[in-house]
Amino acid sequence: MTVQRELLGMAMLGTARGGSPRDRGTASNRRLDRALDAAREDDPARTLLKQAAIVAVSRRAGRRSRMEADLSLLPPAMSEERLRCTEPAARRLASMLEGPRQRFLPEWFAAIERAGQRAPEEYLPSLLDLATRRKEWREPIRSVLGRRGEWLAQINSAWSWAVAAVEPASPRPDARPGDEATVGRMIERVRPLLDYRSRPLHRDVIEVRLPSQLDQSMKRDGIATTPAIAGIGERQWWLRQMLARIPLGFWCALWNRSERELVRAAARSEWRSLLLDGWTEAVPLDPNVGWIEALLDERLEEQTEEGIDIFDLLPAERQEAYLIKALQRSSALAVDQPAFWFLTRSKHSWGKRVARILLPLLRREREIRQTRAIWDWEELLRLAGQRLDPRLAPEAAAVLSEEAKAKSPLAPALAEFLDDLEFRAEMIKEIKR
Amino acid sequence: MIWSREQIDRLAPDEAALEAARKLADISQWQEAGSDERVVWGIHAGSAKEPYRTLAGMGEVAFHCTCPSRKRPCKHVLGLLLLMLDRDRGEIRPQWVNELLARREGRNRRKPPRKSAPRRDESSRAGKEPRRLAREARVEAGLQLVERWLRDLVGQGFSNVARAGGVEWEEIAARLVDAQAPGLARMVRLMSETPGSREDWPSVLLDQAAYLFLAVESYRRIDRLAPEAQADLRSFIGFTIRRDEVLQGVPVADQWVVLGTNRDREDRLQVRRTWLSGVSTGKTAVIIEYSMNEPGPDTTLIPGTMVSAELYYYPSAFPQRAVVGTRGREAVVRGGLPGSRSIGQSLDDFAHAIAANPWLDFFPMILRGVTPAPDRGRWRIVDERGESLPLVAPGEAVWPILALSGGFPIDLFGEWDGEVFYPLTVVSDRRWVRV
């Protein structure tokens, strides 16, 4: 038993409760033994404390390192192919990770990836943690982790998602791919109910008869009996569901009309919203730019937010074109205006052409707006700060920096927008290729 | 002024301050701004009634800003430094800058060297002697209290104290504070947290009790100790030495590399330990600063930089704690940690340090070529000779170290407390990274 164990045993029990002082000469070291013996006194508690002091100091000073036979080193990481990003870029990353500008991180990831660089090693644990919490950021973060990040993920099981190969791409949302036979049966059922009537002076119309009953085979094909939404009759509901299962190309071929002509004719119909809604729901079966734009134009005409979610299915450059159209058709930027609906939907970067319309509109809005609720204004600007191409920061400042200083409840959001834009502009600048 | 962008970045107390500063690095934000060889100055054109006056300089001047921010340096100082990066020097200092500088220097000079004021010295000594005796008497009473309590503790046995509760111990600690022995009080508070805190708590408690008892016994014989050992013991008990007394000593001039900093808590205070290593003397030193609030007091000692300075060590048998006297130029260190050693060598150094000053609580270790390795759910660092130490990284901090290593050896600076190694700075790929 070591001296320390002996002393500890006594201290646990208590010298007043029968713990007796250690015997002489038990230490392995003679000098230590002599020192311990010299520390003896009549009072067992004082003896214990003195001896413990000698042992404590000598143990602390004399501590040796463990020679590790059983300690196995980790297999080292592979060498990196990408260069570490620049110091300023790394500091930008640090400030975004801890600060309120986390939402700009995906843009940083994308720019670093484009530049063929990677995040510095010391930030990898934070990035891995972040992506573990936010699944939607995993792919962009994975692209800046480098070999070292993958190596770390092999060690910490919480990050194992970063080890595996690319996750399988999720199928297109909302598409309900019916097999050909089902589509065929739907066409058979709907075909007798719709008629395209040509009329002079571009007043063509689609005439609709509602289905009279819902038979067993329809139910088997997944047509629900009771409406899932309010304000629609049962028979309309059946037809709308059937329309939603027929790829839109069928109607162009059937009546030999363009999608734009068909949408106009549907809009003139007695059952206008039934037709437009059914077709809108059919878009994901075959997302065709012509159909999407024709349907959206009708909504824009009508000034309704109903059914505009198919905007998401447009390719990036068509989305931008559509944003411009929506901006031109809007008298203001408020929540009841198409500009607001489409801008807040858009997931892509807004370029120069959008900026040229948007920036003056923002200035005008700041001047004319009655300030009651401004949440939509704030949301729009927050989004603009995130989406507008950061290279346009000088132009934005030129148009708006005076407005941002105005004494108005609308000004702070503008100032923040300009700050965000400048922040991103600097962020892109400091990522050198 | 010779600040580099890198230095300014490292100067910032946090990223938020740096980001705010970037916005202030814009001439339109300043009514006036200029610089010469020694200082930069500016008047911020903000919304405040009285515009903030900002000053930054080398050495003694450090930072000055009239804004209410507690951060040191504040965003105005940082912004001004960033703004002036590319500016020509040699502008004419405005009157207000000279006045401010004169006032600051006056404050520094007001601490008179003892010898130069004999009359005042006489009178103050006459007043001091009884005060000193009264304190010694109080400390003596405190020591008796500690001894009785310790004897009782080992007399009753540790198995019974786990139930005894911390109230009584807190009372002992409070009485030691009254007895003007705050160092002993801190030890008692530490002990009160020990029972049940970990599996081997009895052995920790015995060591703590033993150290406390050693202090009590040694203090009774303090006259027989060498002056440096007396100083170490008095510092452990809680006697403080004033800064100006330390500045009476003989300075050590060197190029000091800033190895790393640690933020810690001691009682209710924030403590910052900044470790230095002298390039030509090979000495290490620690600058300890206390403050009430978060970011800590002014400092321009940034890990990865070096400064030529005169250091005044506190008296000790193993001098570590020091204050900075006059300072000269600063530069960024290009290269690795200076004076790095193997684990075995570092433990030898520690043994010598403890032999000289058994009260030493933290010891700087500059380790060369160590690799983190897993060890039954914990981590150790191993050097190329196979020697290893337990690596304690508070919370998740082990992961950045692991990330920087990637399974390869790295140079590591940190504090050794006799039981575990606390990493503070990693140098790999010639980059200095705070962890």
Side-chain angles (χ1 to χ4, degrees):
Chain A
M1 201 194 293
T2 64
V3 182
Q4 206 245 347
R5 285 264 188 80
E6 273 180 88
L7 296 173
L8 190 58
M10 260 188 289
M12 285 300 284
L13 190 63
T15 53
R17 300 184 176 219
S20 56
R22 61 179 290 277
D23 293 332
R24 287 164 186 276
T26 56
S28 50
N29 177 322
R30 280 189 41 232
R31 280 174 67 187
L32 179 60
D33 230 3
R34 274 205 300 279
L36 291 173
D37 288 344
R40 279 171 170 273
E41 290 190 22
D42 291 340
D43 176 8
R46 278 183 56 88
T47 304
L48 172 61
L49 285 164
K50 271 169 93 172
Q51 292 183 334
I54 294 165
V55 172
V57 176
S58 62
R59 275 178 71 226
R60 184 153 184 255
R63 180 163 176 144
R64 303 314 304 162
S65 75
R66 230 165 74 192
M67 295 297 281
E68 296 295 329
D70 57 335
L71 202 63
S72 53
L73 292 177
L74 297 161
M78 287 204 278
S79 52
E80 298 286 356
E81 287 151 356
R82 291 165 161 248
L83 283 177
R84 195 185 290 119
C85 71
T86 61
E87 276 276 319
R91 277 193 300 273
R92 180 82 51 178
L93 170 64
S95 82
M96 285 190 286
L97 279 171
E98 68 183 36
R101 289 196 155 113
Q102 249 195 24
R103 62 205 166 97
F104 300 144
L105 277 172
E107 190 171 12
W108 189 90
F109 300 143
I112 289 286
E113 143 95 296
R114 270 201 307 279
Q117 299 173 4
R118 62 185 165 84
E121 293 85 337
E122 60 271 31
Y123 299 106
L124 297 178
S126 308
L127 290 172
L128 285 159
D129 276 344
L130 184 64
T132 302
R133 288 197 306 274
R134 303 191 61 159
K135 283 192 179 164
E136 72 276 20
W137 284 5
R138 284 187 184 177
E139 284 314 311
I141 285 181
R142 193 203 299 275
S143 68
V144 302
L145 291 176
R147 294 291 173 96
R148 194 60 62 87
E150 195 173 332
W151 180 84
L152 275 178
Q154 283 163 354
I155 300 167
N156 187 340
S157 59
W159 302 329
S160 55
W161 58 267
V163 179
V166 185
E167 286 164 79
S170 58
R172 199 181 278 286
D174 294 323
R176 286 161 296 180
D179 58 272
E180 256 174 66
T182 321
V183 173
R185 282 196 297 279
M186 288 299 167
I187 290 175
E188 249 168 65
R189 289 169 190 138
V190 177
R191 174 70 199 83
L193 302 177
L194 300 192
D195 276 316
Y196 188 93
R197 295 264 178 249
S198 296
R199 287 190 190 155
L201 302 170
H202 304 286
R203 285 172 48 244
D204 297 4
V205 71
I206 293 175
E207 285 180 354
V208 178
R209 280 176 301 280
L210 296 177
S212 51
Q213 56 164 348
L214 187 67
D215 62 30
Q216 283 308 315
S217 79
M218 291 176 182
K219 285 185 190 166
R220 268 200 305 279
D221 282 340
I223 304 298
T225 318
T226 35
I229 43 180
I232 181 170
E234 271 195 354
R235 293 161 64 206
Q236 294 176 52
W237 175 239
W238 302 338
L239 179 56
R240 178 168 151 179
Q241 292 178 82
M242 291 188 248
L243 282 173
R245 281 162 216 217
I246 300 170
L248 293 167
F250 166 79
W251 300 109
C252 294
L254 175 68
W255 290 319
N256 193 25
R257 290 286 191 287
S258 72
E259 52 273 355
R260 202 158 284 280
E261 288 170 303
L262 294 184
V263 170
R264 286 304 308 152
R268 265 182 230 109
S269 155
E270 185 187 353
W271 300 103
R272 128 190 204 109
S273 60
L274 165 61
L275 288 169
L276 292 177
D277 291 348
W279 282 348
T280 298
E281 280 172 47
V283 165
L285 296 179
D286 170 23
N288 169 300
V289 173
W291 269 99
I292 296 175
E293 291 186 346
L295 285 164
L296 287 176
D297 281 352
E298 199 49 48
R299 309 293 189 178
L300 202 57
E301 197 68 35
E302 213 183 325
Q303 298 270 306
T304 173
E305 204 180 349
E306 199 81 19
I308 66 164
D309 47 354
I310 49 174
F311 173 79
D312 303 354
L313 299 173
L314 281 177
E317 80 283 356
R318 298 303 307 164
Q319 280 203 359
E320 176 158 33
Y322 211 85
L323 285 184
I324 291 162
K325 193 186 259 183
L327 280 164
Q328 285 163 343
R329 296 287 186 85
S330 301
S331 55
L333 290 170
V335 64
D336 58 356
Q337 295 289 317
F340 184 86
W341 308 330
F342 286 100
L343 285 169
T344 51
R345 283 210 83 82
S346 135
K347 301 274 187 297
H348 299 285
S349 169
W350 306 344
K352 213 175 198 132
R353 294 189 305 146
V354 171
R356 211 162 282 155
I357 308 174
L358 178 63
L359 295 174
L361 263 182
L362 285 170
R363 186 173 55 197
R364 202 172 68 100
E365 181 91 1
R366 215 292 299 151
E367 286 162 2
I368 61 167
R369 190 164 202 186
Q370 300 296 314
T371 53
R372 282 188 303 274
I374 57 167
W375 67 268
D376 53 343
W377 168 257
E378 286 167 346
E379 188 185 327
L380 187 69
L381 282 166
R382 196 179 133 83
L383 206 65
Q386 203 168 335
R387 297 264 186 268
L388 204 64
D389 184 338
R391 283 171 298 187
L392 300 169
E395 289 180 52
V399 179
L400 294 169
S401 59
E402 281 310 308
E403 293 296 318
K405 287 181 201 146
K407 279 209 180 333
S408 150
L410 295 170
L414 265 182
E416 220 161 288
F417 156 70
L418 292 176
D419 278 357
D420 285 352
L421 213 54
E422 200 188 305
F423 180 91
R424 290 170 52 224
E426 281 172 31
M427 173 170 94
I428 299 302
K429 237 184 283 165
E430 65 204 7
I431 299 174
K432 296 193 194 88
R433 294 192 195 205
Chain B
M1 289 300 302
I2 49 154
W3 295 92
S4 69
R5 183 177 291 275
E6 206 169 353
Q7 277 175 308
I8 298 167
D9 286 334
R10 291 187 184 183
L11 213 56
D14 52 37
E15 282 298 330
L18 195 57
E19 211 194 298
R22 286 196 194 108
K23 282 185 206 157
L24 291 175
D26 170 357
I27 191 67
S28 72
Q29 299 269 353
W30 298 85
Q31 291 177 13
E32 170 186 342
S35 78
D36 61 18
E37 289 298 328
R38 222 182 122 216
V39 285
V40 299
W41 61 84
I43 300 181
H44 179 242
S47 48
K49 242 183 224 159
E50 185 70 21
Y52 302 142
R53 286 161 188 250
T54 308
L55 208 60
M58 306 300 295
E60 286 287 300
V61 182
F63 318 122
H64 179 89
C65 184
T66 56
C67 80
S69 168
R70 277 190 184 165
K71 289 186 180 170
R72 286 289 176 270
C74 65
K75 62 179 178 181
H76 302 106
V77 168
L78 293 168
L80 185 63
L81 288 171
L82 284 171
L83 173 68
M84 302 308 284
L85 260 180
D86 312 317
R87 285 270 292 243
D88 285 343
R89 301 187 266 279
E91 285 157 287
I92 304 297
R93 248 183 242 175
Q95 189 54 26
W96 68 269
V97 174
N98 279 324
E99 278 167 15
L100 214 69
L101 285 173
R103 227 178 301 149
R104 281 183 74 93
E105 267 154 32
R107 203 170 345 158
N108 288 342
R109 226 174 274 137
R110 221 173 298 150
K111 310 160 199 150
R114 289 266 194 90
K115 282 173 216 149
S116 64
R119 267 180 56 214
R120 231 184 118 228
D121 208 24
E122 285 297 298
S123 62
S124 69
R125 184 171 293 165
K128 246 179 207 164
E129 194 57 21
R131 240 188 297 151
R132 195 180 64 83
L133 287 176
R135 177 165 187 187
E136 303 260 296
R138 271 200 295 274
V139 170
E140 177 54 36
L143 293 174
Q144 280 178 19
L145 172 74
V146 172
E147 192 198 334
R148 268 202 310 280
W149 176 70
L150 285 174
R151 280 168 62 193
D152 200 40
L153 189 66
V154 297
Q156 294 304 310
F158 290 172
S159 11
N160 304 305
V161 304
R163 270 165 277 137
V167 182
E168 191 198 340
W169 296 21
E170 179 50 42
E171 210 176 285
I172 300 278
R175 284 173 65 183
L176 285 171
V177 171
D178 291 344
Q180 292 185 312
L184 300 184
R186 189 176 315 128
M187 189 58 138
V188 172
R189 287 206 177 101
L190 269 181
M191 289 172 73
S192 74
E193 291 161 12
T194 302
S197 64
R198 48 193 256 189
E199 216 174 312
D200 61 345
W201 69 264
S203 131
V204 177
L205 190 62
L206 182 59
D207 281 354
Q208 289 169 329
Y211 257 91
L212 199 51
F213 189 73
L214 182 63
V216 172
E217 287 292 289
S218 308
Y219 194 72
R220 298 229 162 102
R221 286 163 230 174
I222 193 162
D223 293 340
R224 283 192 250 162
L225 296 176
E228 293 80 14
Q230 291 190 15
D232 288 326
L233 176 56
R234 290 169 70 86
S235 147
F236 178 79
I237 288 174
F239 289 92
T240 50
I241 301 178
R242 289 204 322 276
R243 191 186 148 90
D244 56 329
E245 282 176 69
V246 178
L247 287 171
Q248 304 291 309
V250 182
V252 181
D254 204 339
Q255 284 275 105
W256 297 95
V257 171
V258 185
L259 297 169
T261 57
N262 193 10
R263 284 187 186 170
D264 205 351
R265 291 196 70 90
E266 217 169 82
D267 298 330
R268 258 149 292 172
L269 290 174
Q270 294 283 333
V271 186
R272 175 158 57 194
R273 291 189 290 273
T274 304
W275 295 92
L276 308 174
S277 170
V279 172
S280 43
T281 57
K283 288 173 187 283
T284 54
V286 61
I287 311 297
I288 304 180
E289 297 153 300
Y290 296 92
S291 73
M292 292 300 285
N293 43 37
E294 216 16 86
D298 275 13
T299 183
T300 49
L301 297 173
I302 305 145
T305 66
M306 68 186 159
V307 55
S308 71
E310 290 189 329
L311 248 53
Y312 293 82
Y313 281 98
Y314 281 65
S316 166
F318 183 75
Q320 285 290 279
R321 186 171 181 191
V323 297
V324 182
T326 52
R327 296 175 57 156
R329 295 180 83 82
E330 303 188 16
V332 172
V333 178
R334 308 258 167 233
L337 285 164
S340 61
R341 322 254 290 152
S342 73
I343 288 175
Q345 287 167 335
S346 298
L347 285 171
D348 285 347
D349 295 344
F350 179 67
H352 283 115
I354 288 291
N357 174 15
W359 314 109
L360 193 69
D361 42 8
F362 295 104
F363 180 75
M365 279 192 179
I366 311 167
L367 299 176
R368 179 174 51 226
V370 292
T371 312
D375 176 37
R376 283 160 293 215
R378 292 160 181 269
W379 292 90
R380 296 180 75 83
I381 39 174
V382 194
D383 69 11
E384 52 199 4
R385 290 154 70 177
E387 290 180 295
S388 73
L389 292 178
L391 175 69
V392 157
E396 296 288 298
V398 71
W399 291 107
I401 295 170
L402 212 60
L404 284 157
S405 152
F408 296 99
I410 47 176
D411 290 349
L412 199 52
F413 168 74
E415 293 174 346
W416 172 250
D417 70 352
E419 197 180 357
V420 284
F421 180 82
Y422 299 87
L424 297 175
T425 306
V426 175
V427 178
S428 90
D429 220 356
R430 297 173 71 211
R431 292 194 313 136
W432 289 56
V433 181
R434 282 191 244 190
V435 290

